[in-house]
Amino acid sequence: MTTPGGALPEGWVKDATSGESRPMNEKELRKAAEKKAKQAKFDAKQKAKAEQAAKQAAAPKKEKKTAAPVVDATYTETTPQGEKKRLQPFDSDALRAYNPAAVESAWYDWWVAAGFFEPKAQHDGEEIFVIPAPPPNVTGALHIGHALTIAIQDALARWHRMRGKTVLFLPGFDHAGLSTQSAVEKKLWQREQKTRHDFGRKDFIDLVWAWKEEYHVRIKSQLKRLGASYDWSREAFTMDENLSAAVAETFVRLHEEGIIYRANRLVNWCTKLTTTLSNLEVDQKEVPGRTLLKVPGYDDMVEFGAITSFAYVVEDSDERIVVATTRPETMLGDTGIAVHPQDERYKHLHGKFVRHPLLDRRIPIICDDILVDMAFGTGAVKVTPAHDANDYECGMRHKLEFINILNDDGTFNENCGDWQGVKRFDARKTVVAKLQELGLFIGVEDNAMSIPVCSKSGDVIEPLMKPQWWVKQSAMADAAKQAVENGDIEIVPKVSEADFLRWMTNVQDWCISRQLWWGHQAPVYYVEIEGNNHGACRAEDAYWVSGRTEDEARAKAAQKFAGKQYSLKRDEDVLDTWFSSGLWPFSTLGWPKDTPDYSRFYPTSLLETGWDILFFWVARMVMLGIKLTGRSPFKQVYCHSLIRDAQGRKMSKTLGNVIDPIDVIQGIELDKLHDQLLQGNLDPAEINRAKANQKASFPKGIPECGTDALRFALCAYTVGGRDINLDILRIDGYRKFCNKIYNATKFALTRLDDSFTPAASSQPTGRETLVEQWILHRLNEASRITNEALERKDFLASTTAIHSFWLYDLCDVFIENSKHLFATGTAEQQASCKGTLYTALEGGLTLIHPFMPYVSEELWQRLPRRQGDETPSIVVATYPVFLEMAHFPAEATRYEGIIEVVKTIRSLMVANKIKADAQVSLHIDASQDTELIRSESASIVSLIKGLEAVEIDSESVEVDEQQSPATRGRANDHIVVELKTTV
């Protein structure tokens, strides 16, 4: 049956099987009516839109509005320093949106004044957590690497404090002998073209103390901005009276036992700074071949990466023996020619001599199968025992003469004949020229090599014989190794533990002398006996006495040299900075005195630091701690990653990628970043290179991110690896996360008005709706995951759990869902929803507090307190833990089904570019799902912007995977979502 136009009449349909026209059945009539109603509704809307558009087109055009006046969002703090913050209303201009400067203001001073960071009074059964903060050097301001250390350590300190433990987070500063003296000397030369010798020791040290005070104030300010919950009443400095006494005590004890001794050995010598350096202070610069490098003190570039061959003439013959060296100038100190005992080419020369071509010196030909590789080069090796580590060992084996050819300033000394007074690299050229003149020069070739460079001055390091103070480390290293192997100390991650154990095997003695003025002067005195050869005697331990005081040293000398005429001269050298730093975990608690702090807080709980100083600092603390106190200084060592820039480059002032954390916290323009370069010690070429790198890395400067975002980002970056490539944009992303938390709490507080009083307990009432049970379960799970992760130092897992709870559970689902409950729910439902919302907010804020201390305190203080809760600050609030009564796995699974439906609807709307008035049908083939969806349909609508209605249909339909864009999608095995489209 058809109408005259060929169409079927209303109420008829063409049968899909027979092809014949027939009247619709009841279900088909109902669907057709729904479709007709929707079409009519759609047509009416379209008509209304068209009429409105026509009306607007016909209306006279309005004058353009004048721009709204710019609102001054500058925050002005009204709280007197040290008092509890006076909270300003959210509707003030500075607080309408998340403003880090406003949120972070005033809290820290109150925390300190209120004593929240101090350990609780001692009580029976107290659990103690002690973390000695690695002391930053007073050399200069903190960089982003320090911020990582603080973010990790403070998160742990705050977490343990909130768990009810007695926490001591102990702050302090390191005098950093070489680094600080070098920085002051550079600045003096830059400003006044003066050296320390122009001032004298006393006046120069006064200048360094002034530098220390300036940077101490600046660093302390940075630490406070970063929110570090230190107990400032116990602040320490490595040159404080008690810490200096600890250094003297340690030196004297170990010297009396023979563990510290004096010896003339090879050291790393910096001729620019005229001091010995530790291996940590020496960088290795790799060159592939002949390369010109800038060396301090030389106008011309100096060539490295070349190996020079020349000949020695065998005594009483015309025979030559050819050797090769990368440092031809050191031939002035040669005292041996080594060959392999099995090398047939040289067996006839065993026991013979060569003549030095430039000096009056006979040089023996020796046999050494350790130093010489027959297959390498000519098979003959020049030996310079006083200026090369391998040659030193060879010289000791064969009792060769050790001839020092260098003065401390890098010029050649009286042992070098015509080259006396010549600078070492100038001598390199003239020595080769002289060999050419004598016909002994063979040639020069490219030679890939590693050049030791002073990390402070850029000078090329010289191995040099110096009488110094040394520490025997073998026995102490064995004890340290045993402490790790037997579990007294745990090192995390395991790769760092393996490094530690490897380093503790066959450890060498430690040179602790430094030719500096700033630091702990060695508490040891030379006994200058009349008639002695003092040049030789000063190198021998027998003529030195140590003393905690000069009187003690005099008493020792009087007993040891009774009847002799002598005077005492204190060693002018200072001790390696690592010597005092190695005492840090116990000297800061009062050792060598038996103080209450030492009795209560030692050994400490955790030492957290970068893996790169595991040997230089951590190992020495372990060795000295066990030796001096009889106990391991800490129970666990956690080694964090090192920070590089976004391109994976090492942080370097000359690259311009060293970031002050304050610049990330408050933001900085590119021009001001450039200006900071002028405040350092960089030369003009380095400044220009650094500016170019800054422009490439931060073309728009650094945005204001705030402390909380910085701390959270750094912890989220910490995954146990060895490098972090830091991207400022990621930190800025966490600032947006702070904004989400801020706005969510602001919204929630509009629901938790003055009439709301939270229950005394956070435990569920039993009247919660499904979504309330779900959010309580999600909070419970986030608490469990975070606590377990922090227990094992998994900062990625802990920050991920907290981020997911806030963003995807609380903000995206529960708060959005609560809007419909507050709008349409019964009084009982609304009251229950308020209680659950409060619990979720309270839990979320306390959960995130160790990572984001400022925004969590700011918002927590605005929440009403539970009945009977007099907790003054979130700092000392109770940290959330897993509660069995809030464990709703079955209910959570049911609501997860609703969320999957929501996700499927959103995907279909996006694919079909529908932003408003969407309608969907849910085809459900399971009765329990039908009941669930029907009861939560309002929840589904509330969670999807632009969704108007949801209808439930038990008709089974299939999803066409080929359809594009798809109008159907499967939410789970029982539910297909169909997006209804108008025709």
Side-chain angles (χ1 to χ4, degrees), residues 865-982:
R865 297 274 73 80
R866 293 188 184 277
Q867 299 172 33
D869 182 6
E870 297 181 356
T871 306
S873 167
I874 196 172
V875 172
V876 290
T878 300
Y879 201 74
V881 295
F882 179 83
L883 299 173
E884 189 61 42
M885 65 186 68
H887 186 50
F888 300 114
E891 292 81 354
T893 299
R894 292 180 66 208
Y895 196 77
E896 291 291 343
I898 298 298
I899 293 175
E900 288 304 313
V901 170
V902 169
K903 290 178 180 178
T904 306
I905 294 172
R906 285 175 177 163
S907 295
L908 291 174
M909 289 175 63
V910 169
N912 288 273
K913 299 180 181 179
I914 295 177
K915 298 181 179 179
D917 304 323
Q919 300 197 23
V920 298
S921 289
L922 302 180
H923 300 275
I924 306 173
D925 60 5
S927 59
Q928 65 269 29
D929 286 338
T930 302
E931 181 183 347
L932 172 65
I933 297 297
R934 198 179 302 280
S935 65
E936 297 295 329
S937 59
S939 175
I940 294 172
V941 173
S942 71
L943 291 173
I944 304 174
K945 185 178 181 181
L947 178 62
E948 186 172 290
V950 173
E951 65 177 33
I952 299 170
D953 192 336
S954 60
E955 180 185 8
S956 178
V957 297
E958 295 300 323
V959 175
D960 184 358
E961 303 290 349
Q962 305 301 316
Q963 184 182 14
S964 180
T967 57
R968 291 178 182 173
R970 185 170 291 281
N972 59 38
D973 291 341
H974 304 290
I975 302 175
V976 171
V977 177
E978 182 176 11
L979 184 65
K980 309 298 288 184
T981 57
T982 55

Side-chain angles (χ1 to χ4, degrees), residues 525-545 553-554 556-570:
Y525 300 78
Y526 172 61
V527 183
E528 193 173 71
I529 301 173
E530 289 185 10
N532 278 1
N533 177 351
H534 301 305
C537 291
R538 288 184 70 91
E540 297 184 27
D541 192 76
Y543 292 95
W544 292 82
V545 290
R554 288 191 180 280
K556 286 183 178 179
Q559 182 179 6
K560 188 173 182 180
F561 300 101
K564 303 278 189 180
Q565 293 295 314
Y566 62 82
S567 59
L568 293 187
K569 302 285 187 182
R570 187 171 182 177

Side-chain angles (χ1 to χ4, degrees), residues 611-652:
W611 61 263
D612 58 323
I613 55 173
L614 185 62
F615 175 71
F616 298 102
W617 186 42
V618 178
R620 282 160 181 164
M621 284 189 287
V622 175
M623 289 190 288
L624 291 171
I626 294 173
K627 175 64 181 176
L628 297 168
T629 73
R631 294 180 288 177
S632 300
F634 24 72
K635 299 178 179 69
Q636 188 182 61
V637 178
Y638 177 79
C639 298
H640 65 241
S641 308
L642 300 186
I643 293 185
R644 296 179 179 271
D645 67 12
Q647 289 76 44
R649 298 174 302 181
K650 185 178 179 180
M651 296 292 186
S652 166

Side-chain angles (χ1 to χ4, degrees), residues 172-437:
F173 300 84
D174 197 308
H175 68 279
L178 175 62
S179 297
T180 304
Q181 178 167 318
S182 174
V184 174
E185 288 195 85
K186 281 183 179 179
K187 187 60 70 177
L188 276 177
W189 184 257
Q190 189 180 66
R191 290 178 177 175
E192 305 177 34
Q193 283 72 55
K194 291 182 179 180
T195 71
R196 70 179 188 268
H197 301 288
D198 294 314
F199 292 86
R201 185 164 188 154
K202 181 182 180 303
D203 289 344
F204 176 76
I205 289 177
D206 287 343
L207 289 174
V208 184
W209 273 107
W211 174 286
K212 177 265 176 190
E213 293 302 325
E214 176 187 347
Y215 278 95
H216 170 261
V217 171
R218 182 174 176 183
I219 295 169
K220 193 168 181 177
S221 174
Q222 289 178 298
L223 294 170
K224 290 181 175 182
R225 287 290 298 274
L226 287 163
S229 58
Y230 294 135
D231 177 6
W232 289 108
S233 69
R234 289 174 166 85
E235 178 188 340
F237 177 54
T238 48
M239 290 178 66
D240 284 346
E241 182 180 351
N242 189 73
L243 275 70
S244 296
V247 169
E249 178 71 24
T250 301
F251 188 98
V252 173
R253 278 197 202 181
L254 299 184
H255 185 239
E256 289 174 344
E257 290 186 42
I259 294 172
I260 289 181
Y261 63 96
R262 192 162 181 83
N264 190 21
R265 291 184 176 177
L266 276 182
V267 297
N268 297 315
W269 187 258
C270 175
T271 64
K272 173 70 174 175
L273 302 177
T274 61
T275 184
T276 300
L277 301 180
S278 70
N279 289 335
L280 180 66
E281 293 152 341
V282 178
D283 297 329
Q284 297 297 326
K285 184 174 183 62
E286 304 292 334
V287 295
R290 298 173 75 168
T291 305
L292 293 175
L293 299 178
K294 179 68 177 175
V295 178
Y298 292 84
D299 294 331
D300 296 333
M301 305 280 271
V302 179
E303 184 179 70
F304 295 89
I307 188 164
T308 301
S309 299
F310 67 94
Y312 275 109
V313 178
V314 178
E315 191 175 54
D316 299 327
S317 78
D318 294 330
E319 187 172 358
R320 296 181 173 196
I321 187 168
V322 177
V323 295
T325 178
T326 58
R327 300 156 65 209
E329 69 279 7
T330 63
M331 62 89 64
L332 296 171
D334 286 355
T335 60
I337 302 295
V339 296
H340 197 282
Q342 303 303 318
D343 194 332
E344 295 292 340
R345 292 172 294 178
Y346 301 117
K347 279 190 174 181
H348 66 290
L349 297 179
H350 292 182
K352 294 191 176 183
F353 292 80
V354 298
R355 298 295 307 184
H356 198 291
L358 309 183
L359 300 166
D360 183 18
R361 186 185 304 159
R362 295 177 78 219
I363 299 176
I365 298 173
I366 60 173
C367 296
D368 194 297
D369 58 0
I370 297 175
L371 182 66
V372 180
D373 177 359
M374 286 190 291
F376 183 79
T378 64
V381 178
K382 64 186 282 296
V383 184
T384 318
H387 294 282
D388 180 89
N390 293 323
D391 292 3
Y392 174 89
E393 298 296 335
C394 178
M396 294 294 289
R397 287 193 296 271
H398 296 278
K399 296 181 173 54
L400 297 177
E401 188 177 4
F402 284 69
I403 299 177
N404 174 36
I405 60 174
L406 276 177
N407 294 314
D408 288 352
D409 63 358
T411 59
F412 279 174
N413 61 22
E414 69 280 1
N415 295 321
C416 299
D418 294 341
W419 281 267
Q420 182 177 356
V422 179
K423 293 195 293 186
R424 54 186 169 147
F425 295 126
D426 289 341
R428 175 173 293 186
K429 297 177 183 177
T430 55
V431 164
V432 170
K434 188 63 176 179
L435 291 172
Q436 289 174 325
E437 180 185 329

